C-alpha cells in the first residue's frame, strides 16, 4: 500500500509539472499581435540611402538642395500603445506605434562639397484589427484568431502639412479600384491580391501640388525598392511606368509615402510626412 501511495504522489507531481501556464484572453491576443507580419511596419520603408530620380523643379524656402542619396534610418521604436476591447467572442484592437530616427540626405553643395544632412524623424502610426474566438479556450491562444485587419495610417509628429486623400489602383486584377481610408477593414483571407509580375498603375490624390510621393516595397528582403511618382499636377502623383509586382508568392506590404517638398530639398525644413500602408498578397 505504501508503494502505491508513493507512485500516486509522483504521478500527481508529474502531471502538475506538465500543466500549461494559463494566460488571459488579452495575453493570447497580444501573442498573435507580436507574431503577425501585419503589425511589423517599420522595416517596410526604412532603407539605406539610395539614388532617386524625380522632378526637382521647385524653389525651396532656405538653401535649396538636390538629394543624390536619401533614406530613413530608424534608431528606435518605443513600445506601442495597444488597446484591446473584448465583447464576448469578438475583440477589437487599436495599435498605436512610434518610430524614431533620422531622414538621411546626401547632397552636393558648391561651396562645401558633399554633405550628409540628418533630419530628426519622429512619427506615429495606427493599425486596427478584429479578432474572433473560433476555437476553445483550451486551444492555442485560447481559440483566438485574427480575422480582419486595416491598413496603416502614419504621420510625422512635430510638423504635418501633407495629406493623402485616396489611392487609385489600375491593373488586370483591379481595373479601377480606389482606396479611400487606410483604416478600413480587410478580411485577412481577402486582402488585395495580385498575380506574379502583374503590371500595376497607381495614382495618389493629395492636398499638396508640390510634394514628393513614392511607393516602397521589397523584392526579396532586405532589397528595398522605392518607386518615385511623377507629379501629374493638382495634387495628383502617379507611376508613369508600371510597377511590376514581385514574382515570388507571399503576403507583403506596400507603403504610399508623401513628403513635403522642402523635407527633401531644403536644408532646414523639418520632417513632414504622411503615409498609408496596405497589406497585399502575391499568388
Amino acid at each position: 500500500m505504501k508503494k502505491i501511495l508513493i507512485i500516486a504522489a509522483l504521478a500527481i507531481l508529474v502531471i502538475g509539472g506538465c500543466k500549461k501556464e494559463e494566460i488571459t484572453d488579452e495575453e493570447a491576443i497580444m501573442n498573435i499581435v507580436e507574431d503577425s507580419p501585419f503589425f511589423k511596419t517599420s522595416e517596410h520603408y526604412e532603407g539605406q540611402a539610395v539614388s532617386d530620380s524625380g522632378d526637382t523643379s521647385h524653389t525651396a524656402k532656405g538653401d535649396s538642395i538636390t538629394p543624390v542619396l536619401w533614406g530613413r534610418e530608424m534608431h528606435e521604436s518605443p513600445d506601442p500603445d495597444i488597446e484591446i476591447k473584448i465583447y464576448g467572442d469578438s475583440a477589437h484592437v487599436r495599435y498605436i506605434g512610434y518610430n524614431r530616427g533620422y531622414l538621411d540626405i546626401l547632397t552636393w553643395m558648391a561651396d562645401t562639397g558633399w554633405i550628409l544632412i540628418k533630419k530628426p524623424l519622429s512619427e506615429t502610426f495606427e493599425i486596427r484589427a478584429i479578432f474572433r474566438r473560433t476555437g476553445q479556450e483550451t486551444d492555442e491562444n485560447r481559440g483566438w484568431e485574427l480575422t480582419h485587419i486595416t491598413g496603416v495610417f502614419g504621420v510625422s509628429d512635430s510638423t504635418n502639412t501633407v495629406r493623402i486623400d485616396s489611392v487609385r489602383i489600375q491593373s488586370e486584377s483591379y481595373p479601377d479600384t480606389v482606396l479611400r481610408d487606410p483604416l478600413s477593414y480587410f478580411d485577412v483571407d481577402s486582402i488585395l491580391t495580385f498575380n506574379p509580375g502583374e503590371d500595376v498603375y497607381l495614382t495618389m490624390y493629395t492636398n499638396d501640388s508640390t510634394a514628393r510621393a513614392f511607393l516602397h516595397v521589397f523584392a526579396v528582403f532586405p532589397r528595398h525598392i522605392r518607386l518615385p511618382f511623377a507629379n501629374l499636377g493638382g495634387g495628383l502623383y502617379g507611376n508613369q511606368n508600371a510597377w511590376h509586382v514581385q514574382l515570388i508568392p507571399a503576403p507583403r506590404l506596400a507603403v504610399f509615402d508623401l513628403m513635403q517638398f522642402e523635407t527633401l530639398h531644403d536644408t532646414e525644413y523639418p520632417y513632414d510626412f504622411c503615409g498609408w500602408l496596405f497589406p497585399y498578397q502575391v499568388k
Side-chain angles (χ1 to χ4, degrees), residues 151-162:
V152 181
F153 174 68
V155 293
S156 49
D157 292 330
S158 59
T159 303
N160 178 233
T161 67
V162 292

Side-chain angles (χ1 to χ4, degrees), residues 180-236:
R180 303 183 187 278
D181 182 0
L183 296 179
S184 292
Y185 285 100
F186 294 87
D187 186 317
V188 294
D189 294 326
S190 302
I191 60 175
L192 295 169
T193 302
F194 298 97
N195 300 313
E198 185 171 345
D199 289 345
V200 181
Y201 291 89
L202 301 161
T203 306
M204 190 186 301
Y205 297 77
T206 79
N207 71 327
D208 193 308
S209 61
T210 60
R212 296 299 308 276
F214 305 88
L215 172 71
H216 300 261
V217 294
F218 280 105
V220 178
F221 189 85
R223 188 185 171 197
H224 171 238
I225 294 175
R226 184 175 68 215
L227 175 67
F229 284 0
N231 189 333
L232 306 178
L236 273 64

